Amino acid sequence: MKRYAEEIYRLQQVSTTEALYPEWVVQQLDQSWITQVPAPQEVGVYAANPRYIRKLLSGLGDGSGKKLELLADYVLSCMPGCRTTRRVQTPSTDLDVVCSMEGFDVDFRSELGRYFVCECKDWNTPADFTSFAKFCRVLDSVKSRFGILFSKHGISGEGKNRDAGLEQIKIFQDRGMVIVVVNQSDLEQVGNGTNFISLLRAKYENVRLNIISSAQTPKGNGGPNN
């Protein structure tokens, strides 16, 4: 406790504005203080600070990519049982956010595996096929069957069955690996009170079951009555 108190005081001295948000302060600390797994009653709880989310959203596009990494780390860490670590270095690459799931085997999160990795792309264009395929290779290297690509403008070919959007489906069909994409619009929804767990579940099912949204359904193909 003394060590954490000293570190929190130091953070307040060097980053006065950011330290106004206790969420930011906690994100700068290690995760050793998390010593218990969540109770079953917490399975659907998602409590996040919308004001902090909106602050991080306002900083996207600054060229550093750090705001999106902080935002990805925060919205995931608010899920009960999700322990997060940013900027993990390996001999071959840097992992933007590494997550480990603890305590839940009762809903779709049991399908995510013990560990999964997140990639963050704070770009002014959608993430392309090459960056999507590279992320898939990273997940292969850590033997993870799930990953999240946080991309400000989504991925190329999304909803059009081509480019990175097509690769997203093919990767699951070929390898059983689900990569979901979270864009700025999704994060804005979370900042306005949307439960990120529900959003993540819907995206997971869309990829795994190859669900076609109404926006993608061609006219005249709605059923036998057409």
Side-chain angles (χ1 to χ4, degrees), residues 173-192:
Q173 293 173 341
D174 294 343
R175 310 187 189 195
M177 177 189 295
V178 174
I179 300 177
V180 303
V181 180
V182 176
N183 59 30
Q184 182 173 349
S185 176
D186 298 322
L187 293 169
E188 287 172 350
Q189 290 182 50
V190 179
N192 289 325

Side-chain angles (χ1 to χ4, degrees), residues 131-141 171 175 177 179:
S131 57
F132 197 89
K134 180 181 177 183
F135 182 42
C136 173
R137 179 68 189 92
V138 170
L139 294 174
D140 267 340
S141 69
I171 284 172
R175 310 187 189 195
M177 177 189 295
I179 300 177

Side-chain angles (χ1 to χ4, degrees), residues 110-163:
S110 63
E111 297 292 319
L112 307 185
R114 181 69 175 83
Y115 290 92
F116 64 90
V117 177
C118 304
E119 180 82 2
C120 299
K121 300 295 185 187
D122 189 7
W123 295 350
N124 292 324
T125 57
D128 57 16
F129 174 90
T130 301
S131 57
F132 197 89
K134 180 181 177 183
F135 182 42
C136 173
R137 179 68 189 92
V138 170
L139 294 174
D140 267 340
S141 69
V142 298
K143 300 295 187 288
S144 178
R145 63 175 186 264
F146 176 75
I148 304 177
L149 177 61
F150 287 87
S151 176
K152 183 178 179 181
H153 291 287
I155 56 176
S156 62
E158 194 168 13
K160 300 177 182 178
N161 202 34
R162 60 182 175 84
D163 301 329

Side-chain angles (χ1 to χ4, degrees), residues 52-210:
Y52 182 56
I53 292 175
R54 290 194 292 269
K55 173 180 169 55
L56 293 176
L57 279 167
S58 69
L60 296 185
D62 66 354
S64 71
K66 292 182 178 179
K67 289 293 192 301
L68 185 56
E69 290 177 10
L70 270 175
L71 183 50
D73 175 270
Y74 178 65
V75 297
L76 286 162
S77 68
C78 289
M79 288 200 305
C82 188
R83 186 189 297 257
T84 62
T85 308
R86 288 193 317 282
R87 292 289 177 108
V88 177
Q89 293 186 335
T90 74
S92 58
T93 188
D94 290 341
L95 308 178
D96 291 341
V97 184
V98 175
C99 303
S100 61
M101 298 300 299
E102 302 174 346
F104 285 127
D105 291 311
V106 295
D107 68 359
F108 83 104
R109 280 169 284 185
S110 63
E111 297 292 319
L112 307 185
R114 181 69 175 83
Y115 290 92
F116 64 90
V117 177
C118 304
E119 180 82 2
C120 299
K121 300 295 185 187
D122 189 7
W123 295 350
N124 292 324
T125 57
D128 57 16
F129 174 90
T130 301
S131 57
F132 197 89
K134 180 181 177 183
F135 182 42
C136 173
R137 179 68 189 92
V138 170
L139 294 174
D140 267 340
S141 69
V142 298
K143 300 295 187 288
S144 178
R145 63 175 186 264
F146 176 75
I148 304 177
L149 177 61
F150 287 87
S151 176
K152 183 178 179 181
H153 291 287
I155 56 176
S156 62
E158 194 168 13
K160 300 177 182 178
N161 202 34
R162 60 182 175 84
D163 301 329
L166 177 59
E167 186 69 4
Q168 182 183 31
I169 300 301
K170 289 173 64 178
I171 284 172
F172 173 71
Q173 293 173 341
D174 294 343
R175 310 187 189 195
M177 177 189 295
V178 174
I179 300 177
V180 303
V181 180
V182 176
N183 59 30
Q184 182 173 349
S185 176
D186 298 322
L187 293 169
E188 287 172 350
Q189 290 182 50
V190 179
N192 289 325
T194 294
N195 186 316
F196 183 73
I197 300 172
S198 299
L199 185 148
L200 195 62
R201 180 191 296 111
K203 287 181 173 290
Y204 177 87
E205 292 175 350
N206 284 348
V207 177
R208 178 156 189 162
L209 304 177
N210 196 12

